[in-house]
Amino acid sequence: MRNARLWARLLGVEKTVVEGVEFDEDAGVVVASVRPGRGQRRRCGVCGRRCPGYDRGEGRRRWRALDWGTVRMFVEADAPRVRCVTHGVVVAAVPWARHGAGHTRGFDQTVAWLATVCAKSAVTELMRVAWRTVGAVVARVWADVEAGNDLLAGLRRVGIDEISYRKGRKYLLVVVDHDSGRLVWVANGANQTTLGRFFDLLGERRCAEISHVSCDGARWMSDVITAYCPQAVRCADPYHVVAWATEALDVQRRQSWNAARGAARGISHNRRSRGTAKLLNNARWALWKNPENLSERQREQLAWIARTDPVLHRAWALKEGLRTVFAIARRSPAEAVEALDRWISWARRCRIPGFVKLQQRIVRHRHAIIASIEHRLSNAIVESTNTKIRLIIRRAYGFHSADAVIALAMLTLGGHRPNLPAR
């Protein structure tokens, strides 16, 4: 093998001629002088179209390549400019790097792959780059994937949810394909405008092909889904419905706790009331957890609540009753629908304000809840995706924009994870 071909293989460059290799002792790096191969010269850096030359640009330029052992490698070449009929005067394309990048394609692919599987400190230490650079690399690689693939093709059943990615009520809107389990779309912001952008990208024809949409009970989501996909069956996520009941239960627990604290602060400074308030505060985990997961001590706390605060215990029973409805749905949807109607009747007569309001809310979403029961569709896969996105956000702490986080999430969970070079 000739030296030029060997060096091209070691550098991981294609359609490139290696003219010479030098070791820069002052910088401690290896610099390979290269030029584009036949047919790769004088092409627009944006669209790749062959164009007439414009000038020699700003001289020679370097691109960071993958390290060779412990030594950093650079590719150096001229950077002439061309005149494109579409994009004007731009730097000519080179086969070893993306337009505007300071790294070779092999370097970009390696960094992007590491970012999907490693922590920030591991990527930056191994590749000897800043975390901001990792974000830029991930965004470049994802832009190539997005341009070369139709990510919204074949969607029939989708799940929609929102996830907080930063303090200050910063949210991402997440769309997942129920059939493939892929993350198909993420955008900054959780509102009607953002969700409308997704359906606008989908287009009228493909919106008409959506058969099922699962989401929480947010009215703004329902309004947008109804406007764009009136034929789709909207399924209310059972997890969120039970979460509504848990919130109503916690409101009642706080009311009982505040009543006990108020009695303890009275003129008599009732010691028994102070003890009751403390026990109610400590019993919140017993009220929140599923009965099958309770410890012996938590079972005793529930028994104590049943004796001392019947209203709070009835609120807990209502929460568990609603959870049981969805447990029944796994074996018999028809029985679950009947159980849901009985629960609504029970909650309507329970004389607990929080659960009276809850049954009114459930009545408003009854058709969507029944649809989720009959079609056995929930947002479980979306919640699983959200958990993975939270891990990515935690691992990617330090990105200064939502775009870098979105790109990393899509690369990791969108079914197009980058491969290592030559693998």
PDB file of all heavy atoms in Angstrom, residues 334-352:
ATOM      1  N   ALA A 334     -64.939  -4.027  29.093  1.00  0.00           N
ATOM      2  CA  ALA A 334     -66.357  -3.768  29.364  1.00  0.00           C
ATOM      3  C   ALA A 334     -66.606  -3.611  30.862  1.00  0.00           C
ATOM      4  O   ALA A 334     -67.354  -2.719  31.299  1.00  0.00           O
ATOM      5  CB  ALA A 334     -67.203  -4.903  28.801  1.00  0.00           C
ATOM      6  N   GLU A 335     -65.999  -4.481  31.675  1.00  0.00           N
ATOM      7  CA  GLU A 335     -66.143  -4.358  33.126  1.00  0.00           C
ATOM      8  C   GLU A 335     -65.512  -3.066  33.630  1.00  0.00           C
ATOM      9  O   GLU A 335     -66.013  -2.442  34.578  1.00  0.00           O
ATOM     10  CB  GLU A 335     -65.503  -5.562  33.820  1.00  0.00           C
ATOM     11  CG  GLU A 335     -66.241  -6.873  33.615  1.00  0.00           C
ATOM     12  CD  GLU A 335     -65.573  -8.015  34.369  1.00  0.00           C
ATOM     13  OE1 GLU A 335     -64.744  -7.728  35.264  1.00  0.00           O
ATOM     14  OE2 GLU A 335     -65.867  -9.174  34.053  1.00  0.00           O
ATOM     15  N   ALA A 336     -64.411  -2.648  33.009  1.00  0.00           N
ATOM     16  CA  ALA A 336     -63.745  -1.417  33.435  1.00  0.00           C
ATOM     17  C   ALA A 336     -64.618  -0.201  33.173  1.00  0.00           C
ATOM     18  O   ALA A 336     -64.678   0.721  33.995  1.00  0.00           O
ATOM     19  CB  ALA A 336     -62.407  -1.284  32.719  1.00  0.00           C
ATOM     20  N   VAL A 337     -65.314  -0.178  32.032  1.00  0.00           N
ATOM     21  CA  VAL A 337     -66.212   0.945  31.729  1.00  0.00           C
ATOM     22  C   VAL A 337     -67.340   1.005  32.750  1.00  0.00           C
ATOM     23  O   VAL A 337     -67.717   2.073  33.248  1.00  0.00           O
ATOM     24  CB  VAL A 337     -66.769   0.812  30.295  1.00  0.00           C
ATOM     25  CG1 VAL A 337     -67.838   1.868  30.038  1.00  0.00           C
ATOM     26  CG2 VAL A 337     -65.649   0.944  29.273  1.00  0.00           C
ATOM     27  N   GLU A 338     -67.896  -0.160  33.092  1.00  0.00           N
ATOM     28  CA  GLU A 338     -68.955  -0.209  34.113  1.00  0.00           C
ATOM     29  C   GLU A 338     -68.418   0.241  35.471  1.00  0.00           C
ATOM     30  O   GLU A 338     -69.087   0.993  36.199  1.00  0.00           O
ATOM     31  CB  GLU A 338     -69.508  -1.633  34.202  1.00  0.00           C
ATOM     32  CG  GLU A 338     -70.671  -1.782  35.164  1.00  0.00           C
ATOM     33  CD  GLU A 338     -71.186  -3.212  35.236  1.00  0.00           C
ATOM     34  OE1 GLU A 338     -70.768  -4.043  34.404  1.00  0.00           O
ATOM     35  OE2 GLU A 338     -71.990  -3.497  36.144  1.00  0.00           O
ATOM     36  N   ALA A 339     -67.199  -0.188  35.808  1.00  0.00           N
ATOM     37  CA  ALA A 339     -66.596   0.216  37.082  1.00  0.00           C
ATOM     38  C   ALA A 339     -66.325   1.721  37.108  1.00  0.00           C
ATOM     39  O   ALA A 339     -66.465   2.368  38.154  1.00  0.00           O
ATOM     40  CB  ALA A 339     -65.306  -0.560  37.311  1.00  0.00           C
ATOM     41  N   LEU A 340     -65.952   2.300  35.964  1.00  0.00           N
ATOM     42  CA  LEU A 340     -65.715   3.743  35.904  1.00  0.00           C
ATOM     43  C   LEU A 340     -66.998   4.517  36.187  1.00  0.00           C
ATOM     44  O   LEU A 340     -66.985   5.506  36.940  1.00  0.00           O
ATOM     45  CB  LEU A 340     -65.162   4.119  34.523  1.00  0.00           C
ATOM     46  CG  LEU A 340     -64.917   5.612  34.284  1.00  0.00           C
ATOM     47  CD1 LEU A 340     -63.822   6.136  35.222  1.00  0.00           C
ATOM     48  CD2 LEU A 340     -64.545   5.883  32.829  1.00  0.00           C
ATOM     49  N   ASP A 341     -68.123   4.067  35.606  1.00  0.00           N
ATOM     50  CA  ASP A 341     -69.394   4.741  35.850  1.00  0.00           C
ATOM     51  C   ASP A 341     -69.802   4.629  37.324  1.00  0.00           C
ATOM     52  O   ASP A 341     -70.341   5.589  37.897  1.00  0.00           O
ATOM     53  CB  ASP A 341     -70.481   4.158  34.954  1.00  0.00           C
ATOM     54  CG  ASP A 341     -70.266   4.516  33.482  1.00  0.00           C
ATOM     55  OD1 ASP A 341     -69.618   5.552  33.226  1.00  0.00           O
ATOM     56  OD2 ASP A 341     -70.728   3.767  32.609  1.00  0.00           O
ATOM     57  N   ARG A 342     -69.561   3.473  37.929  1.00  0.00           N
ATOM     58  CA  ARG A 342     -69.869   3.330  39.358  1.00  0.00           C
ATOM     59  C   ARG A 342     -68.983   4.240  40.193  1.00  0.00           C
ATOM     60  O   ARG A 342     -69.433   4.829  41.185  1.00  0.00           O
ATOM     61  CB  ARG A 342     -69.685   1.871  39.801  1.00  0.00           C
ATOM     62  CG  ARG A 342     -70.738   0.929  39.269  1.00  0.00           C
ATOM     63  CD  ARG A 342     -70.814  -0.335  40.114  1.00  0.00           C
ATOM     64  NE  ARG A 342     -69.532  -1.023  40.186  1.00  0.00           N
ATOM     65  CZ  ARG A 342     -69.139  -1.971  39.350  1.00  0.00           C
ATOM     66  NH1 ARG A 342     -69.942  -2.341  38.344  1.00  0.00           N
ATOM     67  NH2 ARG A 342     -67.963  -2.553  39.478  1.00  0.00           N
ATOM     68  N   TRP A 343     -67.702   4.380  39.805  1.00  0.00           N
ATOM     69  CA  TRP A 343     -66.803   5.269  40.549  1.00  0.00           C
ATOM     70  C   TRP A 343     -67.274   6.714  40.445  1.00  0.00           C
ATOM     71  O   TRP A 343     -67.228   7.463  41.434  1.00  0.00           O
ATOM     72  CB  TRP A 343     -65.381   5.132  39.996  1.00  0.00           C
ATOM     73  CG  TRP A 343     -64.387   5.918  40.804  1.00  0.00           C
ATOM     74  CD1 TRP A 343     -63.641   5.485  41.847  1.00  0.00           C
ATOM     75  CD2 TRP A 343     -64.061   7.310  40.639  1.00  0.00           C
ATOM     76  NE1 TRP A 343     -62.865   6.506  42.356  1.00  0.00           N
ATOM     77  CE2 TRP A 343     -63.113   7.639  41.639  1.00  0.00           C
ATOM     78  CE3 TRP A 343     -64.482   8.301  39.758  1.00  0.00           C
ATOM     79  CZ2 TRP A 343     -62.582   8.911  41.774  1.00  0.00           C
ATOM     80  CZ3 TRP A 343     -63.952   9.578  39.890  1.00  0.00           C
ATOM     81  CH2 TRP A 343     -63.010   9.873  40.885  1.00  0.00           C
ATOM     82  N   ILE A 344     -67.711   7.146  39.254  1.00  0.00           N
ATOM     83  CA  ILE A 344     -68.210   8.509  39.075  1.00  0.00           C
ATOM     84  C   ILE A 344     -69.393   8.764  39.989  1.00  0.00           C
ATOM     85  O   ILE A 344     -69.497   9.828  40.631  1.00  0.00           O
ATOM     86  CB  ILE A 344     -68.571   8.754  37.588  1.00  0.00           C
ATOM     87  CG1 ILE A 344     -67.301   8.770  36.724  1.00  0.00           C
ATOM     88  CG2 ILE A 344     -69.349  10.053  37.429  1.00  0.00           C
ATOM     89  CD1 ILE A 344     -67.578   8.819  35.235  1.00  0.00           C
ATOM     90  N   SER A 345     -70.302   7.788  40.066  1.00  0.00           N
ATOM     91  CA  SER A 345     -71.463   7.930  40.954  1.00  0.00           C
ATOM     92  C   SER A 345     -71.030   8.035  42.415  1.00  0.00           C
ATOM     93  O   SER A 345     -71.564   8.855  43.179  1.00  0.00           O
ATOM     94  CB  SER A 345     -72.405   6.743  40.768  1.00  0.00           C
ATOM     95  OG  SER A 345     -73.506   6.823  41.644  1.00  0.00           O
ATOM     96  N   TRP A 346     -70.073   7.226  42.805  1.00  0.00           N
ATOM     97  CA  TRP A 346     -69.547   7.253  44.185  1.00  0.00           C
ATOM     98  C   TRP A 346     -68.891   8.601  44.495  1.00  0.00           C
ATOM     99  O   TRP A 346     -69.151   9.218  45.534  1.00  0.00           O
ATOM    100  CB  TRP A 346     -68.556   6.099  44.356  1.00  0.00           C
ATOM    101  CG  TRP A 346     -67.903   6.008  45.701  1.00  0.00           C
ATOM    102  CD1 TRP A 346     -68.359   6.514  46.885  1.00  0.00           C
ATOM    103  CD2 TRP A 346     -66.660   5.349  45.999  1.00  0.00           C
ATOM    104  NE1 TRP A 346     -67.491   6.208  47.899  1.00  0.00           N
ATOM    105  CE2 TRP A 346     -66.442   5.493  47.393  1.00  0.00           C
ATOM    106  CE3 TRP A 346     -65.737   4.645  45.246  1.00  0.00           C
ATOM    107  CZ2 TRP A 346     -65.314   4.973  48.019  1.00  0.00           C
ATOM    108  CZ3 TRP A 346     -64.634   4.115  45.868  1.00  0.00           C
ATOM    109  CH2 TRP A 346     -64.423   4.274  47.252  1.00  0.00           C
ATOM    110  N   ALA A 347     -68.034   9.075  43.589  1.00  0.00           N
ATOM    111  CA  ALA A 347     -67.339  10.338  43.821  1.00  0.00           C
ATOM    112  C   ALA A 347     -68.312  11.519  43.858  1.00  0.00           C
ATOM    113  O   ALA A 347     -68.109  12.486  44.599  1.00  0.00           O
ATOM    114  CB  ALA A 347     -66.284  10.559  42.731  1.00  0.00           C
ATOM    115  N   ARG A 348     -69.391  11.435  43.065  1.00  0.00           N
ATOM    116  CA  ARG A 348     -70.379  12.520  43.048  1.00  0.00           C
ATOM    117  C   ARG A 348     -71.066  12.667  44.402  1.00  0.00           C
ATOM    118  O   ARG A 348     -71.473  13.761  44.794  1.00  0.00           O
ATOM    119  CB  ARG A 348     -71.401  12.245  41.943  1.00  0.00           C
ATOM    120  CG  ARG A 348     -72.389  13.368  41.723  1.00  0.00           C
ATOM    121  CD  ARG A 348     -73.340  13.026  40.593  1.00  0.00           C
ATOM    122  NE  ARG A 348     -72.661  12.955  39.304  1.00  0.00           N
ATOM    123  CZ  ARG A 348     -72.727  11.919  38.476  1.00  0.00           C
ATOM    124  NH1 ARG A 348     -73.424  10.836  38.816  1.00  0.00           N
ATOM    125  NH2 ARG A 348     -72.091  11.945  37.322  1.00  0.00           N
ATOM    126  N   ARG A 349     -71.182  11.561  45.128  1.00  0.00           N
ATOM    127  CA  ARG A 349     -71.901  11.573  46.412  1.00  0.00           C
ATOM    128  C   ARG A 349     -70.978  11.569  47.627  1.00  0.00           C
ATOM    129  O   ARG A 349     -71.449  11.448  48.757  1.00  0.00           O
ATOM    130  CB  ARG A 349     -72.807  10.332  46.490  1.00  0.00           C
ATOM    131  CG  ARG A 349     -73.921  10.309  45.457  1.00  0.00           C
ATOM    132  CD  ARG A 349     -74.770   9.056  45.556  1.00  0.00           C
ATOM    133  NE  ARG A 349     -74.080   7.885  45.009  1.00  0.00           N
ATOM    134  CZ  ARG A 349     -73.525   6.932  45.735  1.00  0.00           C
ATOM    135  NH1 ARG A 349     -73.533   6.999  47.050  1.00  0.00           N
ATOM    136  NH2 ARG A 349     -72.936   5.901  45.153  1.00  0.00           N
ATOM    137  N   CYS A 350     -69.656  11.710  47.407  1.00  0.00           N
ATOM    138  CA  CYS A 350     -68.707  11.502  48.510  1.00  0.00           C
ATOM    139  C   CYS A 350     -68.599  12.694  49.466  1.00  0.00           C
ATOM    140  O   CYS A 350     -68.052  12.556  50.561  1.00  0.00           O
ATOM    141  CB  CYS A 350     -67.318  11.177  47.952  1.00  0.00           C
ATOM    142  SG  CYS A 350     -66.502  12.589  47.173  1.00  0.00           S
ATOM    143  N   ARG A 351     -69.075  13.868  49.063  1.00  0.00           N
ATOM    144  CA  ARG A 351     -69.030  15.085  49.894  1.00  0.00           C
ATOM    145  C   ARG A 351     -67.595  15.508  50.239  1.00  0.00           C
ATOM    146  O   ARG A 351     -67.352  16.133  51.262  1.00  0.00           O
ATOM    147  CB  ARG A 351     -69.856  14.917  51.175  1.00  0.00           C
ATOM    148  CG  ARG A 351     -71.342  14.788  50.911  1.00  0.00           C
ATOM    149  CD  ARG A 351     -72.104  14.632  52.187  1.00  0.00           C
ATOM    150  NE  ARG A 351     -71.808  13.361  52.831  1.00  0.00           N
ATOM    151  CZ  ARG A 351     -72.321  12.968  54.001  1.00  0.00           C
ATOM    152  NH1 ARG A 351     -73.120  13.776  54.673  1.00  0.00           N
ATOM    153  NH2 ARG A 351     -71.998  11.794  54.510  1.00  0.00           N
ATOM    154  N   ILE A 352     -66.654  15.138  49.385  1.00  0.00           N
ATOM    155  CA  ILE A 352     -65.272  15.623  49.499  1.00  0.00           C
ATOM    156  C   ILE A 352     -65.056  16.551  48.313  1.00  0.00           C
ATOM    157  O   ILE A 352     -65.036  16.107  47.165  1.00  0.00           O
ATOM    158  CB  ILE A 352     -64.259  14.463  49.475  1.00  0.00           C
ATOM    159  CG1 ILE A 352     -64.539  13.487  50.616  1.00  0.00           C
ATOM    160  CG2 ILE A 352     -62.835  14.991  49.559  1.00  0.00           C
ATOM    161  CD1 ILE A 352     -63.662  12.248  50.591  1.00  0.00           C
TER     162      ILE A 352
END
